[in-house]
Amino acid sequence: MREPLVTSGGRSARTGAPAHRRQRTEGSTRPSSGPNRLPLYCEAVPGHDLSPQEFRRIGHQVVDWVAGYRETVEQRPVSPDVAPGWVRAHLADKLPEHGEPFDALLADLEDVVLPGLVHWQHPSFYGYFPANASLASVLGDLLSGGLGIQGMLWSTAPAATELEQHLADLLVPALGLPPSFTTEGGGGGMITEASSSANLVALLAALHHASGGQWQAHGVDRREVVYVSAHTHSSMEKAARVAGLGGTAVRVVDSDPWTAAMLPAALSAALSQDVAAGRRPVMVCATVGTTSTGAVDPVRAIGQACARHGVWLHVDAAWAGAATVCPELRAMIDGLEHADSYCTDAHKWLLTAFDCTLLWTRRPAVLTSALAVVPEYLRNPASESGEVVDYRDWQIPLGRRFRALKLWSVLRWYGLDGLRAHIRRHVALASEFAAWVASSGIFELGAPPSLGLVCIRVRGCGDEATRSVLERVNATGRAVLTHTVVNGRYLIRVAIGGLYTELRHVEALWQELQEAVGIVGAGR
């Protein structure tokens, strides 16, 4: 176990404000403007916004810091070895009364924040699905923040709205989605903050659809049912709670014991039973790439069952959806033309810094009818004309960031070929890792490998041995793994997808796992 970075009393040895903190000198003045002087506020004066000149200087310093961090991230422990409260113990006890130089913040970032972070961009981060924040997307995010627009309506940011709409349409053929998700095909797409939000929006649209438009005025009537599998993301149950349905409205459909995919026959039976009992099926959530094991629900068969009962089908492909940029990986979305809505996260495997989720629907009129509220102060000629999209009607919040800019930066910098190479590299690494597991005699596969995700367990041992191996690997600080439990079995998840992950990193993980098994075995 690494030594924790805390004092014996659990508090920082540093008391009060860090030594590098400095208050602005009282009475300091700026040079007056004149023909040979810089404009007013030209130098960094804490307490005032940066001038463009100072922004250039400090901005270069910040970009330099980020570049240096990315260059050295592999040399850091993947996860911090700090006790709860360590970070707060090393922060100043009071907010500054007067503004401070930006250098002070960067020093605290280096001394306090970095030692307390899990480094998601580390090549040996295998814990959750990747959060690929390519530097191209970081620059796009900087441009977005620099413009500082609020894109709630077309009229408040025409270019932001139309760029987002355009990218959503162009990504439909790029990802192999059905044309009915494009604007021209009668559908449309948008960018939101997370698949959890997309799932909630889809559920609200489904409620509106199932009630014949009555949901918006009258809400739920406690007859509604939402269908998931045991491996559907937890955000769907949370969405049901937020929508006022409660957890009891969520019906878990049986899954295949090995593949963990939803069984269409079980879904059809559940739908028929609920209709006969006077309940109202509202939505089925099929998953392409579950969080636990990467399971893929059979979209076509599920869609056909939904069509027979007129039920909204939402497909959550938060992680795996990015992979369909590769034509050879599109079989997993076969039947997507039956789906009413579909989402995937660009901020997982598509190289775009968090947050950036894509949501498409074949029924935009249903979605906007469910969510639109139009106070007088938001009325404007463009919206009234019906010729524009107002994305605030596609989401829960009113305000909208210019997320399309960072996604555009990625698509322009990498091109579709670059994105395909990124995905294919990880799929190949995971396939090789799975082959090592299958032939090792030490570990075994706990579920079918899925794209970049491989779930394993110690062969011939109970859950405790597998759990101990995971804990020992994580304790080294040289890798981060997470676990899941499927059919009562404890599994180690190895999610390969980091921007900087190479074969040598996966080989090092394999060595760590084998050594951990030896230590666990010796301790029995």
Side-chain angles (χ1 to χ4, degrees):
M1 181 70 179
R2 292 168 284 161
E3 290 298 317
L5 302 175
V6 291
T7 63
S8 58
R11 292 289 296 175
S12 167
R14 185 191 308 177
T15 58
H20 58 257
R21 292 193 183 277
R22 295 288 184 270
Q23 290 187 354
R24 179 164 58 93
T25 304
E26 295 298 329
S28 62
T29 59
R30 298 180 300 274
S32 60
S33 59
N36 299 317
R37 296 188 182 277
L38 293 173
L40 195 64
Y41 300 119
C42 65
E43 75 282 8
V45 180
H48 296 275
D49 196 17
L50 297 171
S51 69
Q53 292 85 354
E54 280 302 322
F55 178 76
R56 285 191 181 94
R57 181 182 67 79
I58 296 174
H60 288 153
Q61 186 180 357
V62 171
V63 169
D64 230 19
W65 188 95
V66 172
Y69 168 73
R70 290 297 181 90
E71 283 178 335
T72 61
V73 67
E74 185 176 348
Q75 300 165 22
R76 301 175 182 274
V78 191
S79 58
D81 195 8
V82 295
W86 184 89
V87 173
R88 294 198 65 179
H90 284 71
L91 295 172
D93 293 333
K94 295 181 180 180
L95 294 174
E97 288 293 334
H98 306 285
E100 300 176 342
F102 210 84
D103 290 351
L105 183 145
L106 289 179
D108 274 349
L109 188 62
E110 190 72 44
D111 298 342
V112 182
V113 175
L114 284 188
L117 283 182
V118 173
H119 299 286
W120 284 65
Q121 304 307 311
H122 197 291
S124 295
F125 180 88
Y126 307 101
Y128 298 96
F129 288 134
N132 292 157
S134 70
L135 292 177
S137 75
V138 171
L139 291 176
D141 222 1
L142 174 62
L143 292 171
S144 175
L147 290 173
I149 63 99
Q150 217 283 34
M152 56 189 178
L153 301 166
W154 180 92
S155 63
T156 65
T161 297
E162 293 192 19
L163 176 59
E164 182 169 339
Q165 188 177 22
H166 194 61
L167 290 182
D169 279 348
L170 292 181
L171 280 167
V172 167
L175 295 173
L177 310 184
S180 54
F181 281 137
T182 64
T183 305
E184 186 178 354
M190 56 92 80
I191 301 174
T192 186
E193 68 271 24
S195 284
S196 296
S197 300
N199 290 348
L200 174 58
V201 165
L203 176 56
L204 298 179
L207 281 165
H208 194 60
H209 171 70
S211 66
Q214 296 302 304
W215 169 83
Q216 187 191 66
H218 305 292
V220 299
D221 62 13
R222 302 297 177 184
R223 293 185 297 140
E224 294 87 354
V225 188
V226 177
Y227 302 83
V228 301
S229 80
H231 309 286
T232 301
H233 194 271
S234 58
S235 62
M236 265 324 308
E237 182 175 349
K238 183 179 286 189
R241 295 182 191 176
V242 172
L245 298 174
T248 57
V250 179
R251 179 158 179 171
V252 178
V253 179
D254 289 342
S255 301
D256 183 275
W258 172 238
T259 67
M262 183 185 290
L263 295 172
L267 172 64
S268 293
L271 288 166
S272 297
Q273 290 166 8
D274 285 333
V275 170
R279 304 194 73 186
R280 177 187 290 163
V282 169
M283 185 175 87
V284 175
C285 181
T287 306
V288 173
T290 61
T291 301
S292 278
T293 64
V296 175
D297 292 336
V299 176
R300 179 170 297 281
I302 291 172
Q304 291 168 346
C306 289
R308 287 193 292 271
H309 292 275
V311 180
W312 187 287
L313 172 59
H314 174 63
V315 178
D316 179 354
W319 161 63
T324 64
V325 72
C326 303
E328 70 272 18
L329 299 176
R330 291 177 183 169
M332 61 186 176
I333 57 169
D334 174 59
L336 193 59
E337 67 273 13
H338 293 288
D340 298 283
S341 52
Y342 174 80
C343 68
T344 190
D345 292 342
H347 61 240
K348 281 192 171 70
W349 213 2
L350 212 56
L351 294 164
T352 306
F354 187 82
D355 53 5
C356 189
T357 290
L358 289 148
L359 170 67
W360 289 272
T361 179
R362 291 193 298 115
R363 302 173 182 268
V366 175
L367 189 152
T368 55
S369 179
L371 298 179
V373 177
V374 189
E376 189 60 38
Y377 52 79
L378 292 181
R379 294 186 182 277
N380 63 85
S383 297
E384 299 293 331
S385 74
E387 297 179 359
V388 301
V389 170
D390 285 333
Y391 277 125
R392 57 110 192 196
D393 294 332
W394 291 56
Q395 62 177 32
I396 306 304
L398 172 62
R400 306 197 85 242
R401 296 180 59 214
F402 196 174
R403 293 184 180 91
L405 200 49
K406 60 185 172 184
L407 178 58
W408 197 34
S409 299
V410 169
L411 293 168
R412 296 287 293 273
W413 179 259
Y414 282 90
L416 295 177
D417 278 347
L419 298 179
R420 293 184 191 111
H422 171 72
I423 299 292
R424 286 167 177 157
R425 178 166 59 88
H426 293 138
V427 172
L429 287 174
S431 178
E432 188 157 1
F433 179 81
W436 299 340
V437 171
S439 62
S440 70
I442 302 173
F443 290 95
E444 63 184 3
L445 295 171
S450 177
L451 300 172
L453 178 62
V454 184
C455 294
I456 66 175
R457 57 186 278 113
V458 178
R459 186 184 296 272
C461 295
D463 288 345
E464 191 54 42
T466 304
R467 181 184 293 107
S468 296
V469 166
L470 179 143
E471 291 171 351
R472 286 192 174 275
V473 171
N474 284 349
T476 67
R478 293 188 289 270
V480 165
L481 302 168
T482 55
H483 79 279
T484 189
V485 176
V486 177
N487 296 325
R489 300 184 306 156
Y490 187 99
L491 308 179
I492 297 173
R493 298 174 68 258
V494 180
I496 298 172
L499 178 58
Y500 306 117
T501 303
E502 300 174 0
L503 176 60
R504 61 186 176 89
H505 301 109
V506 181
E507 289 173 337
L509 172 65
W510 181 233
Q511 185 65 34
E512 293 280 359
L513 286 163
Q514 293 176 93
E515 291 176 1
V517 169
I519 294 171
V520 169
R524 287 203 300 266

